[in-house]
Amino acid sequence: MTAGVLASIDPSVLAEGVNLMWVAVVCFLIFFMHAGFAMLEAGQVRAKNVANQLTKNLLTWGVGVLVYFLIGFGIEGVAGGGGFSPASALSDGGWVNSWLFGAVFAMTAATIVSGAVAGRAKLRAYVAYTVAISAVIYPVVAGITWGGGFLGGAGLGFTDFAGGMIVHGVGGIAGLTAAYMLGPRMDRYAEDGSTNVIPGHSMTFAVLGTLVLAFGWYGFNVGTTATVFSVTESGELALGGYSAVGRVSLTTTLGMGAGAVGAALGSMSLTKKVDTLYVANGVLAGLVAVTGTANAITWWGAIAVALICGLQLPLVFEFVSDKMKIDDVCAVFPVHGSAGVIGVLALPFIHVDGFSVDLLVSQVIGVVVITAWTVVATAVVFGAFKAVGQARVTPDHERDGLDVSEHGVETYPEFGKANVATDGGPSVVDTTDESPRADGGEEAGSEIKMVTAVVRPDKLGAIKQALAEINAPSLTVTNVSGRGSQPAKTGQWRGEEFTVDLHQKVKVDVVVADIPADEVADAIADAAKTGEPGDGKVFILPVEDALQVRTGATGPEAV
């Protein structure tokens, strides 16, 4: 029965159906990588710029995919040597295995750029560049390589399996060029030329975004084995590009592992510490390293080239940041640009068929041509906006943050507000009518004084209890930061150390009239003391007068 049903199925129909389903699924998986890009980039920018970065990621897809449908797909055909054939003229199947498959790759190249220009690019300039890269810049590169143009297999022989150079290299080089054209963020470099570290707001976001990207990368690389089945001349089913799925899966997995190890080793050599963000970026650099070659390299070659790309990550980032003075916020060039270049250039040395001079020559020429085109085209777009003063936000807007200035929103509305510190006290101090007066006294008429203490936040509970015990339970608490004798601490962000010398404290204000101010000061000091630098200080200040809002009473009676 089963054999009879199978015999009645047209092999070409079965092959087409399975191939279309496979391509559709991997396109959806590659689209999901945008969630990873959004998290990764949002985690590496300041809290005041998170909404702006997320908006750019959303508009990259929203604007870019429309432009690629209307213009970019046709330009890709022109660059490949054919005429302008719009995506709207394709059949149902063509919209999946031709247009959509190209669109998700194009949008990946486009969104990489946003990480390099974070924190200072005007939204209109970035959206305009998204139009340019989706309509012309990326389609030209794809056309002259994958589309049958002069660099591709039928011409020079440049080989890039899944876009190590065509997608990631283009995105990373474009990002570096755009960052150079815009200039660094305001606080990135000191007047003497030294580098100031600007940490991102969430390591958690950055690492989770990395893992989402790594998951989607299986669609990126393994999905490029786009034809599961083919039909032989005799009408039998055979494996198509899917015959290489095992090698592609292996080299992709080995690449991400070796990239992480390489970045960890590179970080250790520079800072004597394994930097978390470098390891995360190393996973991606290792993936980029094998993306262009995953179907045709040895297993040991995948490990070697990914390890090299992980090692170069901290070195190249430091060179770009400290020597070239280019503020590449999310390290898109060492992750996507230089790793993409190294990966495709390594192909002749780690190819399963052995070394080939001809292949090396074609790879070098391909890299040079793609790099030159990307740099020039990107510089023209951002240069034009820079010439009319529309490339970069104003210093005031940059200082306030792009979330408010560009979008009128705050990603974290309650973040950084003057909320009362959590004191962890054992119980709530009773301040009902049965309690002593706020100043702990019985009568009015004494001199008014304010006791102000700046202390460790974790000591607030003990201070509240001590004040209640001397009948002075009323207080005002404010979150503050400052420095005194407490030693500064050092932090690290992507391998670079920075100093934290403003420590989180709470300021406690107690106004008294009928009990000695020094008694209040002693109670606070005893409760706050740990014996270590940073315990804080207590000040006693005279208060000229006081006015109670509810009753209108003044002087000590108001206290």
Side-chain angles (χ1 to χ4, degrees):
M1 179 67 178
T2 304
V5 172
L6 291 175
S8 66
I9 296 176
D10 185 346
S12 63
V13 174
L14 179 60
E16 183 181 8
V18 172
N19 290 342
L20 285 175
M21 181 176 67
W22 169 246
V23 173
V25 169
V26 299
C27 285
F28 305 151
L29 196 59
I30 296 171
F31 165 74
F32 189 61
M33 291 175 71
H34 285 266
F37 276 116
M39 293 182 70
L40 174 64
E41 293 171 8
Q44 294 179 82
V45 302
R46 289 170 165 177
K48 64 183 181 181
N49 295 323
V50 172
N52 177 259
Q53 200 61 28
L54 296 175
T55 303
K56 286 173 179 172
N57 277 274
L58 291 169
L59 288 177
T60 298
W61 178 265
V63 173
V65 78
L66 293 174
V67 172
Y68 184 75
F69 177 78
L70 296 172
I71 304 173
F73 184 83
I75 295 295
E76 193 171 315
V78 174
F84 186 92
S85 180
S88 58
L90 294 171
S91 63
D92 281 357
W95 281 330
V96 174
N97 61 24
S98 184
W99 171 73
L100 182 59
F101 196 53
V104 292
F105 280 79
M107 295 308 100
T108 300
T111 200
I112 290 169
V113 180
S114 66
V117 299
R120 74 271 202 201
K122 276 194 174 183
L123 185 64
R124 68 191 68 172
Y126 176 75
V127 170
Y129 183 75
T130 297
V131 171
I133 195 172
S134 303
V136 180
I137 299 174
Y138 172 81
V140 166
V141 174
I144 62 177
T145 51
W146 290 333
F150 73 96
L151 284 182
L156 182 66
F158 176 74
T159 301
D160 187 341
F161 174 64
M165 183 65 194
I166 296 170
V167 177
H168 293 278
V170 166
I173 292 167
L176 183 71
T177 306
Y180 171 77
M181 296 298 296
L182 284 175
R185 288 167 291 175
M186 289 177 63
D187 303 326
R188 186 62 169 123
Y189 301 104
E191 292 183 2
D192 62 0
S194 60
T195 303
N196 295 324
V197 181
I198 304 178
H201 92 288
S202 175
M203 186 68 73
T204 304
F205 271 26
V207 171
L208 289 178
T210 298
L211 295 175
V212 170
L213 279 170
F215 172 69
W217 223 289
Y218 283 110
F220 209 93
N221 283 8
V222 179
T224 302
T225 58
T227 53
V228 179
F229 291 131
S230 62
V231 180
T232 65
E233 291 182 1
S234 61
E236 296 180 349
L237 281 178
L239 284 178
Y242 212 68
S243 59
V245 70
R247 183 178 298 276
V248 175
S249 300
L250 174 68
T251 53
T252 298
T253 306
L254 294 177
M256 73 171 78
V261 172
L265 293 174
S267 174
M268 278 285 290
S269 68
L270 290 178
T271 67
K272 310 304 180 186
K273 295 178 182 178
V274 177
D275 185 85
T276 305
L277 189 55
Y278 268 143
V279 174
N281 289 162
V283 169
L284 303 182
L287 284 165
V288 172
V290 299
T291 291
T293 60
N295 67 324
I297 56 174
T298 61
W299 64 264
W300 58 264
I303 294 175
V305 71
L307 191 68
I308 291 170
C309 286
L311 282 167
Q312 62 87 37
L313 172 65
L315 300 175
V316 171
F317 178 78
E318 187 178 83
F319 178 78
V320 167
S321 172
D322 298 346
K323 304 299 183 184
M324 298 179 69
K325 303 298 180 184
I326 299 177
D327 187 12
D328 179 0
V329 179
C330 295
V332 303
F333 180 71
V335 171
H336 301 276
S338 55
V341 170
I342 292 170
V344 296
L345 290 181
L347 178 59
F349 302 94
I350 56 177
H351 199 286
V352 291
D353 295 332
F355 178 75
S356 167
V357 174
D358 290 342
L359 182 57
L360 178 60
V361 172
S362 66
Q363 296 299 88
V364 170
I365 294 174
V367 166
V368 171
V369 171
I370 293 171
T371 298
W373 163 251
T374 304
V375 170
V376 171
T378 302
V380 167
V381 175
F382 277 98
F385 274 87
K386 187 176 181 179
V388 296
Q390 295 299 312
R392 183 171 179 147
V393 298
T394 65
D396 286 343
H397 285 180
E398 186 174 345
R399 193 175 295 110
D400 294 339
L402 274 61
D403 290 2
V404 173
S405 62
E406 292 273 277
H407 310 285
V409 300
E410 292 186 43
T411 307
Y412 305 104
E414 296 182 350
F415 183 79
K417 305 300 182 185
N419 300 322
V420 175
T422 302
D423 57 40
S427 61
V428 177
V429 177
D430 187 7
T431 57
T432 62
D433 292 340
E434 300 301 321
S435 299
R437 283 178 47 204
D439 62 1
E442 298 287 339
E443 299 177 357
S446 302
E447 182 182 4
I448 307 172
K449 289 188 178 181
M450 175 185 288
V451 180
T452 296
V454 179
V455 295
R456 299 177 186 270
D458 59 310
K459 289 297 181 179
L460 182 56
I463 291 171
K464 286 172 60 179
Q465 190 64 37
L467 291 175
E469 290 173 359
I470 63 169
N471 291 330
S474 295
L475 73 166
T476 302
V477 179
T478 310
N479 283 319
V480 296
S481 60
R483 62 185 180 191
S485 60
Q486 188 174 359
K489 298 179 180 179
T490 57
Q492 184 170 299
W493 181 259
R494 197 184 275 113
E496 295 184 90
E497 287 193 346
F498 60 95
T499 301
V500 179
D501 60 355
L502 294 180
H503 306 282
Q504 291 301 117
K505 303 290 182 182
V506 291
K507 184 173 75 168
V508 179
D509 293 321
V510 182
V511 179
V512 293
D514 295 328
I515 61 174
D518 56 355
E519 186 177 332
V520 174
D522 289 341
I524 294 174
D526 290 342
K529 185 175 182 179
T530 69
E532 297 294 329
D535 280 348
K537 293 181 175 63
V538 183
F539 307 95
I540 300 176
L541 308 172
V543 177
E544 185 174 338
D545 204 353
L547 171 65
Q548 189 175 46
V549 175
R550 178 175 60 85
T551 64
T554 60
E557 185 179 350
V559 176

